[in-house]
Amino acid sequence: MSLRSEKELRHLVAENVISEDTSKAISDYYASQKKNSPNKLFTLFGVLGGLLIGLGVILILAHNWDDFSRGVKTIWAFAPLVVGQAFAGFALWKKKGPAWKETAAAFLFFAIGASISLVSQIYNIPGSMSSFLLTWILLAAPMVYLLRSHTATLLHLIFATAYACNVGYFNDASPWGYLVLLVWVLPLYYSQLKSHSEANITGIYHWAFGLSVIITLGAFVSGAANFGYVLYILLFGILYNLGKLPFFDHKKVRVNGYLVLGTLGMIYLLMVASFKWIWNERYFKTGDTIDLVFAGALVLITLGILFNLYRKRRLVPFNVFQYVSLLFVLIYAIGHFRTDISIILVNVLTLLLGVSAVRTGAQQGRYGMLNFGMLIITILIACRFFDTQISFVVRGLLFVGIGVGFFVANYLMYKKQIRLKNE
Amino acid sequence: MNKLVVIFGFLVMVGAQWFVPANMIYQQEGALVEGTPYKFKTRPVDPSDPFRGKYIVLNYELSSFAPVDSTLQFNEYVYVYIEEGEDGFAKATEVSPYPLDTEQDFVKAEYQYSYNQRVNFNLPFDRFYMEESKARPAEDAVRDVNRNRDSLSPVCYALVYVKEDVAVLENVFIGETSIQEFVEGLEE
């Protein structure tokens, strides 16, 4: 229990708000809680130490000590592996706490990499970066469940993402292996959601999974010009709607990575798509078969989540953010016939989002939401300055207007809250 | 989780983590000990790998073969059948999209393209890892050797051991000197 809380308790006892006994009961409760919770700081430093040592070993081995014979180098290839395995085995056998397991997992993860990279180095084994990464990830994958290690899980996710980028972006193939690697950690994520939904690490998982799929989606598709916008906005729409599921909806914004990533992604893409040059016919293509398959799958997932939300009566009150991705697909389809109409519709849709955020913010008394809406409108107007022929005077007036709007909206809300408080 | 399952799983994982590098070593050692050495003329350049360190990329003079039966369909790989030529360096005698029923040594190379009955390919052993301070001077040295080339200047070549479908790049030489010693000589 913190010093400040103890001071508060003494104050409450002195003011006769709570009795001496209650104060003691509260102190005892917090003391027992502290005893049960593992030392998080210790775990964190252990993991950091493990990561740094592991990475250091890889770099030292990468120097390539060509004075040593093949035999000596081979021993060095296995030494970090043995140390890591011994640590992990000891932690498992003695049923050590998370600090041990996480540290061992962090070190063993990099020891595996060090071992196979040194063998590749000794024998000049060619092998591409992607096959090297895949071997490494697969050899480390069992740690996720055996050690029940969050470090191993996050490293698995990070390296799987790096693998997908290497295959998809640098080598122009589809990284299907990534999907398998992703599915491998899903059961752990699910059990984490079930039993430790409020833990900090679960919040980190939401962000990590969200970021990983955002980064890798582009690696699967052909990158045929404009169709990428459709795929990405569908993905952001899915993330947003996931964040709106009852399970996530009541959570703090910083924990609800899906909602934040989805919102920011959608707004960013709409801003980009609100420019005229994006809709140039030269870049306007439907995409390859794989792109269409992905688009179809993403639409189905969107509809599935929306249906789920509908059944749980989560679609009222109407929230336009939840339908942005589907509306954008429609706008994109219209663009095949009339790009000018699509451009107008994208601008209208973005404006609508801004207004709706302002409205929600005002109704629910949330300053953050209100100003987020205002920000969307401001950025949209600022963007229009680059590709429309409006006189400087009008642009100036628009900016003054929006500035006044910021003040007025915040002031009105402040007044409203004061009024509500007084009632 | 059941403790027995965890222990069993852990042992399997540890086994796999040993097996993969050990198997890599076993295959490569097999070729080094029992394989036939060949010399391939080469021109190296130096890039870097974040995990495995500095290496030089080797481009081989042996990168195509003609004539090839134009009815043959090549996909991902080319089986390049080799023998030692009169000048002491490896030369291709035949290429095929699939392994042939012969005792002759071959290298499984990456297929590039075909043109006018000539098949172009990349030999697989194109990376030679070097101590980090030596990779760049090695590249420079080899470029100089190749620029001032006449019949008396030393040839840069890779010594490769071949056994079945495993080919291990053992060392790179400039004339009779290994490339490490060559670079160390330059430093002195």
Side-chain angles (χ1 to χ4, degrees):
Chain A
M1 199 171 171
S2 72
L3 218 64
R4 205 174 136 204
S5 314
E6 278 168 26
K7 211 169 148 191
E8 283 289 320
L9 278 182
R10 279 202 297 275
H11 179 70
L12 290 173
V13 173
E15 294 287 326
N16 283 329
V17 179
I18 56 171
S19 69
E20 192 74 49
D21 290 343
T22 319
S23 162
K24 193 173 177 307
I26 293 173
S27 293
D28 289 349
Y29 170 74
Y30 279 111
S32 74
Q33 283 287 304
K34 206 170 185 179
K35 216 177 279 170
N36 291 338
S37 76
N39 193 337
K40 283 185 185 145
L41 207 62
F42 189 56
T43 310
L44 188 69
F45 284 130
V47 170
L48 270 178
L51 285 177
L52 290 173
I53 296 172
L55 278 168
V57 167
I58 287 193
L59 288 176
I60 293 168
L61 294 182
H63 168 80
N64 195 335
W65 304 84
D66 60 2
D67 295 334
F68 290 132
S69 69
R70 272 212 310 272
V72 175
K73 282 205 234 177
T74 309
I75 292 171
W76 276 108
F78 284 95
L81 192 64
V82 173
V83 173
Q85 288 170 345
F87 261 108
F90 179 74
L92 265 181
W93 186 251
K94 294 278 178 189
K95 293 195 171 160
K96 289 284 184 183
W100 268 88
K101 286 184 179 171
E102 299 291 349
T103 308
F107 181 76
L108 180 54
F109 190 92
F110 286 102
I112 296 165
S115 165
I116 50 177
S117 51
L118 191 53
V119 174
S120 305
Q121 196 193 73
I122 298 168
Y123 293 99
N124 299 301
I125 298 171
S128 62
M129 180 54 112
S130 48
S131 64
F132 170 72
L133 284 175
L134 187 63
T135 313
W136 183 350
I137 299 167
L138 288 176
L139 286 177
M143 285 198 293
V144 170
Y145 292 99
L146 290 172
L147 290 170
R148 285 258 150 195
S149 155
H150 298 306
T151 313
T153 313
L154 287 173
L155 284 171
H156 177 93
L157 207 55
I158 292 168
F159 272 72
T161 310
Y163 162 77
C165 291
N166 201 286
V167 174
Y169 293 122
F170 306 150
N171 293 313
D172 216 20
S174 288
W176 297 111
Y178 168 78
L179 291 181
V180 180
L181 297 175
L182 190 70
V183 168
W184 171 250
V185 284
L186 284 184
L188 181 118
Y189 182 43
Y190 182 74
S191 83
Q192 193 70 20
L193 287 180
K194 279 267 173 200
S195 50
H196 299 94
S197 70
E198 298 301 324
N200 281 334
I201 189 71
T202 317
I204 295 174
Y205 279 143
H206 304 328
W207 281 92
F209 276 95
L211 281 171
S212 178
V213 290
I214 291 171
I215 294 170
T216 44
L217 174 66
F220 282 95
V221 294
S222 70
N226 272 343
F227 201 69
Y229 288 108
V230 177
L231 293 168
Y232 263 100
I233 214 154
L234 280 166
L235 177 66
F236 288 128
I238 289 172
L239 293 178
Y240 181 87
N241 281 319
L242 271 181
K244 278 283 162 191
L245 286 173
F247 181 82
F248 294 103
D249 202 20
H250 68 278
K251 291 208 174 5
K252 287 193 193 106
V253 172
R254 72 179 160 81
V255 177
N256 198 344
Y258 294 126
L259 191 77
V260 178
L261 290 171
T263 314
L264 295 181
M266 280 194 292
I267 298 293
Y268 171 73
L269 279 188
L270 284 177
M271 290 296 173
V272 176
S274 73
F275 281 93
K276 211 188 276 176
W277 50 268
I278 293 294
W279 297 85
N280 189 316
E281 277 161 23
R282 265 185 303 162
Y283 311 122
F284 207 90
K285 290 177 192 138
T286 312
D288 295 352
T289 322
I290 177 135
D291 298 351
L292 291 173
V293 170
F294 261 84
L298 291 172
V299 168
L300 284 179
I301 296 172
T302 310
L303 291 175
I305 299 175
L306 282 175
F307 182 68
N308 187 294
L309 285 165
Y310 168 75
R311 276 185 35 197
K312 291 180 174 149
R313 300 185 189 287
R314 286 284 176 154
L315 289 185
V316 272
F318 178 77
N319 173 3
V320 64
F321 278 88
Q322 291 182 292
Y323 309 97
V324 167
S325 56
L326 297 179
L327 288 172
F328 188 84
V329 174
L330 209 65
I331 294 173
Y332 192 82
I334 293 171
H336 273 279
F337 311 102
R338 291 285 300 270
T339 49
D340 50 346
I341 294 181
S342 290
I343 298 167
I344 295 171
L345 286 176
V346 169
N347 280 279
V348 171
L349 181 62
T350 316
L351 189 68
L352 208 67
L353 288 177
V355 173
S356 115
V358 170
R359 209 175 120 241
T360 319
Q363 278 171 351
Q364 300 175 358
R366 288 159 61 194
Y367 284 101
M369 184 57 109
L370 178 94
N371 286 311
F372 178 59
M374 302 286 288
L375 198 66
I376 294 175
I377 300 170
T378 312
I379 296 174
L380 182 67
I381 290 173
C383 285
R384 286 297 62 71
F385 280 13
F386 293 108
D387 64 355
T388 39
Q389 302 288 330
I390 312 173
S391 88
F392 285 105
V393 179
V394 180
R395 294 184 203 186
L397 287 176
L398 263 172
F399 257 68
V400 172
I402 205 87
V404 171
F406 259 105
F407 278 119
V408 173
N410 281 291
Y411 179 69
L412 286 179
M413 187 135 107
Y414 176 70
K415 290 278 269 187
K416 186 180 160 192
Q417 286 191 341
I418 296 282
R419 202 177 61 233
L420 284 175
K421 234 183 225 172
N422 291 337
E423 273 172 13
Chain B
M1 227 188 297
N2 186 334
K3 191 166 181 181
L4 258 178
V5 176
V6 172
I7 292 171
F8 180 72
F10 182 75
L11 291 178
V12 171
M13 178 184 79
V14 167
Q17 287 167 357
W18 275 81
F19 175 77
V20 170
N23 187 43
M24 285 157 84
I25 294 172
Y26 174 75
Q27 283 191 353
Q28 309 290 315
E29 280 292 341
L32 282 175
V33 174
E34 296 165 10
T36 318
Y38 288 94
K39 296 172 182 174
F40 290 85
K41 286 184 195 168
T42 180
R43 285 184 296 268
V45 284
D46 103 298
S48 170
D49 177 297
F51 300 110
R52 289 170 283 192
K54 282 269 189 188
Y55 60 93
I56 49 180
V57 168
L58 307 165
N59 294 320
Y60 292 99
E61 284 189 11
L62 178 58
S63 61
S64 68
F65 183 78
V68 174
D69 184 352
S70 54
T71 55
L72 286 176
Q73 281 290 319
F74 287 89
N75 293 316
E76 209 175 337
Y77 297 109
V78 184
Y79 291 83
V80 183
Y81 284 82
I82 51 171
E83 64 177 31
E84 193 177 305
E86 284 163 10
D87 58 356
F89 292 98
K91 69 168 194 183
T93 56
E94 194 175 3
V95 300
S96 155
Y98 41 80
L100 301 174
D101 187 20
T102 160
E103 290 292 302
Q104 196 182 343
D105 282 326
F106 67 90
V107 176
K108 197 172 157 190
E110 187 192 347
Y111 173 68
Q112 292 299 109
Y113 62 94
S114 304
Y115 183 71
N116 266 353
Q117 291 192 319
R118 177 170 285 276
V119 168
N120 289 270
F121 49 81
N122 279 341
L123 292 174
F125 32 83
D126 57 355
R127 279 186 177 201
F128 183 69
Y129 292 96
M130 291 196 73
E131 201 253 77
E132 58 182 326
S133 62
K134 290 179 189 160
R136 186 61 209 256
E139 182 198 340
D140 293 343
V142 173
R143 199 185 307 117
D144 285 348
V145 167
N146 282 332
R147 192 187 294 144
N148 309 319
R149 198 144 176 199
D150 55 49
S151 55
L152 293 173
S153 61
V155 178
C156 182
Y157 66 89
L159 183 63
V160 179
Y161 285 75
V162 177
K163 183 195 169 201
E164 289 158 15
D165 61 347
V166 181
V168 183
L169 169 55
E170 204 263 346
N171 211 340
V172 176
F173 291 87
I174 297 177
E176 293 307 310
T177 321
S178 81
I179 194 157
Q180 290 100 333
E181 286 169 15
F182 192 90
V183 172
E184 281 163 11
L186 288 179
E187 283 165 358
E188 285 159 15

